[in-house]
Amino acid sequence: MRLMQGLMFDPLLDQLHFGLKQRGGVTLPLPEAFASKKTLRADGLIQSWLWKVPGFRRWRVTRLDLGQSLQVLNSVAYPDYTNDQPLMGVDLLWFGSRSKLVAVMDFQPLLQEKEYFDRHFNGLIELHSRYPDLNGDEIMRSFDPHIYFSPWLLFCRGGLELAEGTLPIAFNEFINCYWKLSEDVVKVPSRIPMIEVKQLQKNYDTYSSERDPAHGLFTSYFGKDWSNRYLREFLFPGSSI
Ligand code: BLA
């Protein structure tokens, strides 16, 4: 049982990494303390990868294994500044001892405007309509659903059935839908000037670093110094430029 739950999101992680490699992605070296870090107590582990892939200035991936307590797969894709498409954000959490899933997947919009949604969200709108189990009718406690989240985010709290049944299928489609958008978007010129895209991506990092519900958890498992550095330098480097 311990082993099975330990591997909850690993097939999805493999799939994500496979897709990145397929599209010419390479991993960049990370400081050792970020690449892999054990918890202060017990045998937990956090691992991180930083990808450089054509079309994106940064694509980060984190796997957190705290055994029965918590399993996490977290990833954010930051497109090149010449491309105003949404960021890709994924946060999947499995609390094994309580059999509780929290899954969030979204194309995180730079702007909350109809014209922007019309250009970038047709794929996600269609996908969202086919996954009522993940339809996003959930209350957000730390974030504001109108800032850097779209009206079509996939968001659910659920149990094992959802985690092992619907989620892997939806995740696969979600990632493919984002790759499709990324391919299509380069065929038409970006409407938001590069300098504004840069500022909006930076604001995303600042906003997210201030709200991230993981901060307390990181501090208790990895200590205050490591956690502050990890947030500032790896998760949200734009927050401190
Ligand atoms: C929620 N994310 C959470 C929670 C934790 C984490 C502990 C609270 C769980 C709960 O509500 O029951 C944990 N987040 C992590 C960890 C990492 C992390 C361990 O980033 C490690 C890197 N969060 C994101 C991204 C999105 C996101 C990219 O990092 C966007 C898709 C969303 N996480 C998100 C949302 C919630 C959440 C919407 C619910 C928060 C709320 O209720 O406001």
Side-chain angles (χ1 to χ4, degrees):
M1 196 60 178
R2 166 74 175 83
L3 190 65
M4 188 198 85
Q5 298 201 334
L7 297 170
M8 182 54 96
F9 300 125
D10 282 359
L12 310 190
L13 175 69
D14 290 346
Q15 206 180 303
L16 177 61
H17 281 175
F18 182 79
L20 280 157
K21 265 186 225 141
Q22 247 187 347
R23 286 162 183 87
V26 288
T27 51
L28 301 177
L30 278 178
E32 206 176 309
F34 291 168
S36 178
K37 167 93 179 157
K38 286 193 179 145
T39 48
L40 301 174
R41 292 170 296 278
D43 57 350
L45 181 70
I46 188 164
Q47 292 165 284
S48 304
W49 296 266
L50 182 60
W51 288 85
K52 186 75 193 77
V53 60
F56 296 85
R57 65 176 186 85
R58 176 181 179 81
W59 192 315
R60 65 165 166 85
V61 180
T62 297
R63 172 189 190 270
L64 174 63
D65 177 7
L66 302 176
Q68 293 270 49
S69 308
L70 180 60
Q71 302 279 319
V72 180
L73 173 57
N74 181 276
S75 183
V76 177
Y78 298 81
D80 286 337
Y81 293 136
T82 49
N83 173 353
D84 70 9
Q85 85 181 77
L87 296 94
M88 188 286 316
V90 166
D91 201 12
L92 308 179
L93 294 88
W94 174 248
F95 300 88
S97 52
R98 289 182 279 145
S99 279
K100 191 188 137 189
L101 171 77
V102 181
V104 193
M105 299 182 270
D106 200 10
F107 291 6
Q108 302 203 256
L110 295 180
L111 299 176
Q112 302 277 339
E113 287 175 5
K114 184 179 181 306
E115 188 274 336
Y116 184 82
F117 290 144
D118 286 347
R119 276 192 297 129
H120 293 308
F121 281 79
N122 292 335
L124 189 63
I125 290 171
E126 192 276 328
L127 205 158
H128 180 264
S129 72
R130 285 187 290 109
Y131 286 95
D133 287 355
L134 299 166
N135 72 1
D137 283 347
E138 285 289 338
I139 302 295
M140 288 192 192
R141 302 185 193 108
S142 354
F143 295 107
D144 179 337
H146 304 294
I147 302 182
Y148 292 110
F149 285 102
S150 84
W152 305 280
L153 89 161
L154 306 176
F155 181 16
C156 71
R157 298 175 196 274
L160 189 65
E161 213 174 304
L162 208 55
E164 291 189 335
T166 313
L167 181 67
I169 304 165
F171 178 83
N172 182 28
E173 281 211 55
F174 172 81
I175 296 295
N176 286 337
C177 185
Y178 190 69
W179 283 125
K180 172 84 169 61
L181 172 68
S182 310
E183 280 156 24
D184 291 348
V185 93
V186 294
K187 295 173 197 156
V188 288
S190 202
R191 298 258 178 93
I192 309 178
M194 195 173 153
I195 192 159
E196 277 176 45
V197 172
K198 186 175 178 184
Q199 186 61 45
L200 289 163
Q201 286 195 11
K202 178 175 154 55
N203 295 352
Y204 171 89
D205 272 7
T206 305
Y207 174 79
S208 306
S209 69
E210 286 164 0
R211 304 287 184 111
D212 197 341
H215 194 189
L217 181 147
F218 283 143
T219 304
S220 67
Y221 281 94
F222 302 101
K224 196 169 137 232
D225 290 348
W226 184 90
S227 302
N228 287 342
R229 275 196 60 201
Y230 187 69
L231 247 82
R232 216 176 34 235
E233 295 172 32
F234 181 73
L235 292 182
F236 309 111
S239 64
S240 54
I241 297 170

